[in-house]
Amino acid sequence: MKSNTKYSKGVLDDIMLDAMYGFSLSEIASRLNINYDEFLADYNNIDMPIKQFYEYGRIKGKTETDNIFFNLAKNGSATAKQIYDNKMLDADLSNAFKKIFDA
């Protein structure tokens, strides 16, 4: 991932970790004591790494959570199996719609 001198590696890692835990952009800006409007502008600036770290953190959090549901479902949890099946269906539908709209 790209780095930038405006945000240290430690701050970028904090952004990624907070995103992994489901924090919003405004919550992260508040926690890191960064002006939200400036943070949002940096998030939307393609030359800044904020969006990359935030999105990577969100995906990493979803992956870890999905892995837990998968293992619970594999080990017999009916609730986890239902959640897992719903996630798979959502992914299938999302892929189908993307295929239709990209055609």
Side-chain angles (χ1 to χ4, degrees), residues 66-81:
D66 288 349
N67 187 39
I68 291 168
F69 282 122
F70 173 78
N71 284 320
L72 287 170
K74 189 171 69 171
N75 290 320
S77 169
T79 302
K81 173 80 166 98

Side-chain angles (χ1 to χ4, degrees), residues 3-76:
S3 186
N4 188 299
T5 56
K6 183 173 181 179
Y7 295 94
S8 70
K9 177 72 168 115
V11 169
L12 292 171
D13 288 342
D14 282 346
I15 291 167
M16 184 172 49
L17 186 63
D18 288 352
M20 188 175 91
Y21 293 144
F23 288 19
S24 69
L25 291 171
S26 64
E27 290 171 323
I28 294 171
S30 179
R31 192 184 79 71
L32 296 175
N33 199 27
I34 300 171
N35 176 280
Y36 174 69
D37 292 330
E38 182 180 338
F39 187 67
L40 186 61
D42 290 340
Y43 173 84
N44 289 314
N45 181 343
I46 62 170
D47 294 325
M48 299 293 286
I50 302 301
K51 189 171 193 170
Q52 281 181 292
F53 278 78
Y54 182 80
E55 294 301 322
Y56 180 78
R58 301 274 298 178
I59 290 167
K60 187 174 181 190
K62 288 179 183 181
T63 301
E64 289 184 13
T65 303
D66 288 349
N67 187 39
I68 291 168
F69 282 122
F70 173 78
N71 284 320
L72 287 170
K74 189 171 69 171
N75 290 320

Side-chain angles (χ1 to χ4, degrees), residues 81-100:
K81 173 80 166 98
Q82 184 177 10
I83 291 168
Y84 177 78
D85 288 345
N86 287 341
K87 288 196 65 57
M88 294 299 283
L89 179 60
D90 287 346
D92 289 343
L93 290 173
S94 177
N95 291 338
F97 281 121
K98 182 167 177 35
K99 194 174 189 179
I100 290 168

